[in-house]
Amino acid sequence: EALGLFTGIGLSEAKARETLRNGALSALLRRAVLQARSALGPALDKATGTLLYNVATRLRDPKHLGFLVDYIARREILTDLQLSAALEYVKSHPLEPLDVADFEQACGVGVCVTPEQIEEAVEAVIGEHRAELLAERYRFNMGLLMGEARSRLRWADGKTIKNEVDLQVLHLLGPKTEADLEKKPKAAKARPAPAEKQKAVVVENGEVGTETRSLLEQLRGEALKFHKPGENYKTEGYVVTPNTMALLKQHLAITGGQVRTRFPPEPNGILHIGHAKAINFNFGYAKANSGVCFLRYDDTNPEKEEEKYFTAIREMVEWLGYQPYAVTHASDYFDQLYSWALELIRRGQAYVCHQKVEEIKGHNPPPSPWRDRPVEESLLLFEDMRKGKFGEGEATLRMKLVMEDGKMDPVAYRVKFTPHHRTGDKWCIYPTYDYTHCLCDSIEHITHSLCTKEFQARRSSYFWLCNALDVYCPVQWEYGRLNLLYTVVSKRKIIRLVETGAVRDWDDPRLFTLTALRRRGFPPEAINNFCARVGVTVAQATMEPHLLEACARDVLNEQAPRAMAVLEPLKVTITNFPAPKALEVLVPNFPADENRGFHKVPFQSTIYIEETDFREEVDKGYKRLAPGQPVGLRHAGYIIAVQNVIKDASGHVIELEVTCTKSDVAEKPKAFIHWVSEPLVCEVRLYERLFLHKNPEDSSEVPGGFLSDLNPDSLRVVHNALVDSSVLSARPFDKFQFERLGYFSVDPDSEEGKMVFNRTVTLKEDPGKA
């Protein structure tokens, strides 16, 4: 019966069967068709059928179906343009009754556009473009004429306008000639200059600039169909109550229509690379839309919170280039949250429960036998909880609702006899995330509560609680987490790594916490650019670390001045050194752009080169120093040739004696190598991946658990590396490119007389890691 009903309005049999597979849609369409047939008779024309199908598929709130179908059946909504306007109107006016006169005006009901009006409108538009039309003839964009005529006559029939445009253009230009029929030559695309192509990615005050669409462009553009401030009710799934519109009006009066977001970390651990996406998303979306972002600490669990976490979190937010509009704490609102808990009990929406934690865990726990206890009793017991008359785990306050994931009656308050970092011993009851988060968002008048996908199951409780208390209700939006392979980011697992000595602390450069990335030398711009490349998709993104490393190279290539260092030194004595004392060599800080300055490097008869830059026997393809094969010294202007190889008793090469020749009179060598003279002794730490497998937490990949997957070669320390003296004044976190070796950053362990460098990334990606 339904199949015949749907094919009867013009749907193909295949489309009708596809519609039937969607139970909700087919029920709506059936209602619409039966209502229209009762008014127009069993035979419906295809145009009416198309409108009915469109209203059933596009209507967000089914309560308006009968209202809209009535207008279609009365032939007062005749076009898809009118239907789109009608759907937008009911979406924007969620409260009933609708203002019928206002609705009809918004949808063009009763508006009749005459042929004379269309003729006049098209004539006016063509008059405005007459000169260009005569010059370009039929190569002119006729769609422009159509669009402008439609904007003058919103409810006019599109086909009629097109026919009128075609007629008047023919009258003006005459029939098409052979020249008109020739294809328009394609304009050559301007290619960026090579230097422009290599332009590095730069971030200023958190604004990302890349060749691809920046994060701010993504957040500002059409990619995110977020509601405008004050239009929360236009969001799918948002719950509208009789008080919603008045509360939104108050909200707009307070915020002035400003976008407001918040970044709400728990101060019980250090931020990691996944948080970088959340920071960029929350602060970036606010910035892209001229709004503000709060940094709000979710400090509702005093057992795990420490001052160092509060400090480190703010440092990392600011390091990434963002300044919070305000720094707040959930604990700032403890008094208000407690008052609202009392109100929730009074309204019969919360109760004191004595079920144990283990009883209410897992799927389908038994309902609480105290769910229907009298309001007065719950008020007295909640007061007893506040006064410390119940032990931990003996009583909780629970909310009366069922969440999307089937979880029943989430806990709002629990007893904890732990002093709070900020409120001391004032409280022995603390609110939970499910209770606190949406109410803090409401207090701060957040417009867009952005959170990761696993919180989608909490959206129903988010809306429920705000509406149960009749307070302003923001909109929760979920997005996909950012994860990296070859790492763990769980606080619990990082603590295990620290406790077992696998890493030194939360900022060990082998980890992907933000403090660790900073210590290793990753610039904040590189992390922001990485987040921009990942984008703001709803799907979870699991990325390879080498993509983050590529972003670091892009930024460091522009930011890190060059220096020369030797990790495995081999002494070289120049027997015919051309001067009685050391010479000064000028080395460009950035060889590709000498306008960015130089530094001086001493050059004397004793220099040091990399041990690997010399071989006694030459293999095919080997281009560096060997007997009979000279090499150039970078920046020095000299070429050296081996004269004598000195070895120790075991046959190991310990020194070379060489002669030098000025490069402008010698034959060009096959290679130029780096070197140091009068160098500083330093420690260099070389890092590899901490784990051997992509997914160290996956038991099928690593049956022994993540601690069994540690890479024994994740850290190699070179204790007596040599670096040129130009880095002597460098401070912790200063960055350099050690020529031919990679990008390095000064470690905070550095002390006077012994600098320590961390290798951030090699100069090129290791193909074996891709």
Side-chain angles (χ1 to χ4, degrees):
E1 179 262 346
L3 184 65
L5 205 63
F6 294 168
T7 54
I9 61 167
L11 294 186
S12 66
E13 186 172 331
K15 189 71 176 174
R17 290 188 184 281
E18 182 188 325
T19 302
L20 282 168
R21 283 196 289 271
N22 183 331
L25 171 59
S26 57
L28 278 183
L29 184 56
R30 187 173 184 281
R31 272 175 54 196
V33 173
L34 291 175
Q35 182 182 335
R37 284 174 65 171
S38 68
L40 298 171
L44 298 178
D45 60 82
K46 189 169 182 180
T48 302
T50 301
L51 288 172
L52 294 173
Y53 181 78
N54 286 345
V55 77
T57 52
R58 292 160 57 191
L59 182 62
R60 191 169 68 97
D61 189 344
K63 73 182 178 188
H64 294 300
L65 182 72
F67 177 79
L68 294 177
V69 170
D70 196 34
Y71 274 88
I72 294 169
R74 294 204 308 261
R75 310 288 194 190
E76 291 179 333
I77 289 180
L78 292 163
T79 66
D80 194 61
L81 190 65
Q82 283 182 291
L83 180 60
S84 295
L87 290 167
E88 181 59 33
Y89 187 91
V90 297
K91 181 180 174 184
S92 303
H93 297 77
L95 296 184
E96 293 187 329
L98 294 173
D99 183 330
V100 173
D102 190 43
F103 169 80
E104 291 183 352
Q105 184 180 0
C107 303
V109 172
V111 175
C112 178
V113 181
T114 65
E116 290 76 21
Q117 287 174 309
I118 293 174
E119 185 181 342
E120 287 171 11
V122 172
E123 193 175 322
V125 169
I126 287 178
E128 288 174 8
H129 295 281
R130 183 182 175 86
E132 301 102 298
L133 270 164
L134 290 170
E136 296 183 38
R137 291 183 57 78
Y138 286 99
R139 289 177 179 173
F140 184 82
N141 179 10
M142 302 301 171
L144 181 66
L145 304 179
M146 281 280 299
E148 290 189 13
R150 286 293 293 266
S151 67
R152 291 169 186 240
L153 298 170
R154 184 181 176 191
W155 307 114
D157 178 65
K159 286 182 181 177
T160 308
I161 290 180
K162 184 180 184 308
N163 291 339
E164 185 62 32
V165 167
D166 291 346
L167 187 66
Q168 291 199 29
V169 167
L170 180 64
H171 181 71
L172 176 66
L173 303 179
K176 288 183 180 179
T177 64
E178 284 187 20
D180 292 325
L181 295 170
E182 287 177 12
K183 284 189 176 179
K184 189 176 181 178
K186 287 185 178 178
K189 288 184 180 177
R191 291 188 177 182
E196 242 178 74
K197 270 188 182 176
Q198 298 304 318
K199 194 172 180 182
V201 187
V202 180
V203 175
E204 229 174 88
N205 299 323
E207 288 207 34
V208 188
T210 63
E211 287 183 280
T212 55
R213 292 179 66 229
S214 74
L215 184 68
L216 283 192
E217 287 172 323
Q218 294 176 55
L219 295 173
R220 190 184 290 123
E222 286 296 302
L224 296 176
K225 301 290 186 182
F226 284 175
H227 68 280
K228 292 178 183 175
E231 294 186 355
N232 305 26
Y233 54 85
K234 290 189 175 182
T235 306
E236 193 72 38
Y238 189 79
V239 180
V240 177
T241 73
N243 295 319
T244 295
M245 303 313 282
L247 289 166
L248 289 174
K249 189 175 179 182
Q250 290 173 15
H251 160 72
L252 285 175
I254 291 166
T255 66
Q258 182 184 53
V259 165
R260 287 187 170 202
T261 61
R262 82 290 166 270
F263 174 57
E266 295 176 73
N268 60 4
I270 299 295
L271 303 182
H272 55 71
I273 189 68
H275 290 112
K277 179 177 178 180
I279 291 168
N280 271 278
F281 199 178
N282 277 286
F283 283 90
Y285 183 69
K287 188 176 182 67
N289 294 281
S290 305
V292 298
C293 183
F294 292 73
L295 169 58
R296 186 207 307 143
Y297 295 106
D298 180 20
D299 57 343
T300 57
N301 193 355
E303 294 167 333
K304 298 181 179 179
E305 293 156 9
E306 293 181 42
E307 175 61 32
K308 68 176 182 180
Y309 298 138
F310 286 86
T311 306
I313 286 169
R314 181 163 185 178
E315 273 183 11
M316 290 301 98
V317 168
E318 293 177 349
W319 177 65
L320 287 177
Y322 296 108
Q323 280 297 327
Y325 169 70
V327 178
T328 59
H329 305 74
S331 57
D332 295 339
Y333 311 121
F334 276 179
D335 288 322
Q336 177 63 73
L337 295 173
Y338 177 73
S339 297
W340 275 335
L342 293 173
E343 180 61 23
L344 205 62
I345 298 170
R346 290 189 196 104
R347 294 184 177 207
Q349 301 285 18
Y351 62 95
V352 172
C353 175
H354 305 290
Q355 283 180 297
K356 304 295 182 190
V357 174
E358 52 273 17
E359 289 182 70
I360 59 176
K361 269 187 174 178
H363 293 289
N364 302 316
S368 171
W370 294 279
R371 197 171 200 263
D372 297 318
R373 76 185 332 156
V375 165
E376 294 75 16
E377 191 177 314
S378 279
L379 286 169
L380 288 170
L381 292 171
F382 189 50
E383 179 64 11
D384 287 345
M385 285 172 63
R386 189 185 69 81
K387 290 178 178 178
K389 293 183 180 180
F390 287 104
E392 292 190 15
E394 289 182 0
T396 58
L397 182 70
R398 295 176 69 183
M399 299 176 278
K400 287 188 183 179
L401 80 147
V402 180
M403 298 166 72
E404 276 132 312
D405 59 359
K407 183 179 175 184
M408 189 173 182
D409 295 357
V411 172
Y413 271 86
R414 69 276 205 222
V415 176
K416 284 181 182 286
F417 292 107
T418 306
H420 189 274
H421 174 78
R422 299 183 72 245
T423 61
D425 292 323
K426 180 178 178 180
W427 299 94
C428 65
I429 54 170
Y430 292 98
T432 61
Y433 175 91
D434 286 324
Y435 179 77
T436 308
H437 191 72
C438 62
L439 296 180
C440 288
D441 281 352
S442 179
I443 291 168
E444 292 176 352
H445 282 271
I446 300 305
T447 57
H448 301 77
S449 181
L450 308 174
C451 58
T452 47
K453 198 73 177 167
E454 67 265 30
F455 291 100
Q456 187 167 340
R458 261 89 169 243
R459 194 199 294 184
S460 59
S461 69
Y462 187 106
F463 292 158
W464 177 89
L465 184 51
C466 289
N467 291 327
L469 288 166
D470 282 322
V471 296
Y472 161 70
C473 183
V475 178
Q476 176 175 303
W477 289 92
E478 302 89 16
Y479 61 92
R481 289 173 66 107
L482 168 58
N483 293 325
L484 274 187
L485 298 171
Y486 297 101
T487 191
V488 298
V489 293
S490 148
K491 294 165 190 170
R492 183 175 55 82
K493 288 176 181 172
I494 291 175
I495 288 170
R496 290 283 293 126
L497 290 170
V498 175
E499 288 172 346
T500 57
V503 297
R504 291 171 61 182
D505 207 338
W506 289 82
D507 65 347
D508 188 297
R510 289 166 289 180
L511 295 173
F512 283 88
T513 61
L514 294 185
T515 49
L517 290 169
R518 177 178 65 170
R519 185 166 188 169
R520 184 156 169 172
F522 279 81
E525 299 91 331
I527 294 169
N528 290 341
N529 294 345
F530 176 63
C531 292
R533 289 191 188 182
V534 172
V536 289
T537 57
V538 174
Q540 177 172 299
T542 301
M543 311 299 288
E544 291 270 5
H546 71 80
L547 298 173
L548 174 59
E549 291 168 2
C551 290
R553 289 188 188 94
D554 287 343
V555 175
L556 289 169
N557 184 51
E558 289 290 313
Q559 289 186 358
R562 279 35 170 183
M564 290 192 288
V566 172
L567 300 188
E568 304 291 343
L570 174 60
K571 184 179 178 182
V572 175
T573 301
I574 303 173
T575 57
N576 66 334
F577 193 73
K581 60 179 184 177
L583 301 173
E584 272 191 349
V585 173
L586 280 179
V587 176
N589 294 328
F590 295 89
D593 183 3
E594 294 190 351
N595 292 325
R596 297 179 69 180
F598 293 80
H599 59 272
K600 293 177 181 177
V601 171
F603 175 47
Q604 62 169 1
S605 59
T606 299
I607 65 171
Y608 298 87
I609 66 171
E610 288 287 354
E611 206 174 55
T612 52
D613 279 343
F614 170 74
R615 285 187 193 173
E616 286 191 86
E617 295 181 10
V618 179
D619 295 335
K620 186 179 179 182
Y622 180 76
K623 296 180 179 179
R624 282 165 276 168
L625 186 61
Q629 184 165 290
V631 294
L633 298 177
R634 287 179 68 79
H635 310 298
Y638 284 90
I639 291 165
I640 58 172
V642 176
Q643 187 181 31
N644 189 26
V645 179
I646 301 170
K647 301 180 181 180
D648 62 14
S650 64
H652 181 71
V653 177
I654 57 171
E655 185 181 347
L656 301 175
E657 289 179 344
V658 303
T659 56
C660 72
T661 312
K662 283 191 75 66
S663 55
D664 54 3
V665 296
E667 186 180 337
K668 186 177 179 182
K670 290 183 178 180
F672 285 81
I673 63 172
H674 63 280
W675 54 275
V676 291
S677 185
E678 295 183 25
L680 307 171
V681 178
C682 64
E683 179 180 304
V684 172
R685 298 169 182 172
L686 306 173
Y687 299 99
E688 298 295 338
R689 289 175 181 154
L690 183 59
F691 295 99
L692 297 169
H693 290 83
K694 283 188 174 185
N695 301 293
E697 298 169 275
D698 185 343
S699 58
S700 63
E701 203 170 321
V702 185
F706 72 101
L707 288 175
S708 71
D709 196 46
L710 293 168
N711 176 8
D713 301 317
S714 64
L715 170 62
R716 180 166 75 92
V717 180
V718 181
H719 292 283
N720 293 299
L722 303 176
V723 62
D724 74 48
S725 54
S726 67
V727 305
L728 183 60
S729 61
R731 295 290 173 262
F733 306 117
D734 284 354
K735 298 161 182 58
F736 299 91
Q737 184 199 103
F738 289 168
E739 297 199 33
R740 298 176 65 221
L741 297 179
Y743 293 102
F744 292 77
S745 179
V746 181
D747 189 87
D749 285 347
S750 297
E751 52 190 40
E752 195 170 342
K754 188 64 178 281
M755 299 184 78
V756 179
F757 289 91
N758 295 315
R759 184 170 67 187
T760 308
V761 286
T762 54
L763 290 182
K764 293 181 180 177
E765 183 184 321
D766 181 349
K769 292 183 183 179

